[in-house]
Amino acid sequence: MNILVLYLVLLKGTVTSFAGLASLPVIQEALVNHYHVLTNEQLNEAVVITRSSPGPVGLYIVSVGYFAAGIPGAVAGWLAMITPALLIIPLVHFVGRRMEHSCVKSILQTVVIASAGLLLAAAIPLGHDGLTGPITIAIAAVCFVLLLATKLDTLWMMLGAALISLAASSVGLVAYL
């Protein structure tokens, strides 16, 4: 894949979303379904790599670029990730003065709602690929309840899920994962 096209696809994903994984449906449609340079498994791996390491959630764009085109793809992903941040500085200056205007408030509310919808659209394919058996479904359900009911850090949930998966596979319950 051409690096410029990859950059533009990744930039489209980062510019059209204002939350980390909200760009996932755009990236999946373009790179998995249209250009066929990634598989769903590679896209899931990119998300897992990012969620397992410190840094912003949107950093998965760099891993996606790497999976699609190696080191030059990772650089294209990094550039696509930072471009909106550089463009937002003049926009914040412009909007900041007009924050109380009803049109600006309506636009910002619309962006928040659209981002929530994109996050839901991103979660469904990830859940479909990741929830493969009763143990993974149980882990997801328990983590969901813990997220809602406690202030437990997600790092501990990920560690617990990894330990449960390791224990299940060590006692021969791989078919249930």
Side-chain angles (χ1 to χ4, degrees):
M1 169 172 237
N2 181 341
I3 296 300
L4 180 60
V5 172
L6 178 63
Y7 168 74
L8 292 174
V9 166
L10 296 174
L11 182 63
K12 176 183 172 187
T14 57
V15 167
T16 58
S17 67
F18 293 96
L21 292 178
S23 61
L24 197 57
V26 174
I27 302 300
Q28 182 180 26
E29 177 60 33
L31 297 180
V32 175
N33 300 338
H34 183 70
Y35 290 107
H36 306 289
V37 295
L38 283 180
T39 64
N40 276 322
E41 290 78 24
Q42 288 174 314
L43 189 58
N44 284 342
E45 285 178 33
V47 171
V48 168
I49 288 168
T50 300
R51 297 298 293 152
S52 303
S53 60
V57 176
L59 192 61
Y60 85 96
I61 295 290
V62 177
S63 298
V64 165
Y66 179 78
F67 283 140
I71 299 293
V75 171
W78 177 73
L79 289 172
M81 186 182 73
I82 66 166
T83 301
L86 296 175
L87 295 176
I88 200 74
I89 295 169
L91 185 63
V92 166
H93 178 72
F94 175 76
V95 172
R97 295 181 184 181
R98 294 155 183 82
M99 197 60 193
E100 295 303 318
H101 195 277
S102 63
C103 287
V104 173
K105 285 183 179 181
S106 296
I107 290 170
L108 291 176
Q109 288 174 343
T110 304
V111 166
V112 168
I113 292 169
S115 292
L118 286 171
L119 283 171
L120 180 62
I124 291 170
L126 287 175
H128 184 266
D129 289 341
L131 301 175
T132 57
I135 294 177
T136 56
I137 292 170
I139 290 170
V142 168
C143 287
F144 181 71
V145 169
L146 287 173
L147 280 171
L148 293 177
T150 70
K151 292 185 179 188
L152 185 65
D153 193 78
T154 56
L155 174 67
W156 297 113
M157 289 182 223
M158 290 171 52
L159 181 62
L163 290 174
I164 291 168
S165 296
L166 182 62
S169 65
S170 68
V171 297
L173 295 175
V174 176
Y176 298 104
L177 288 176

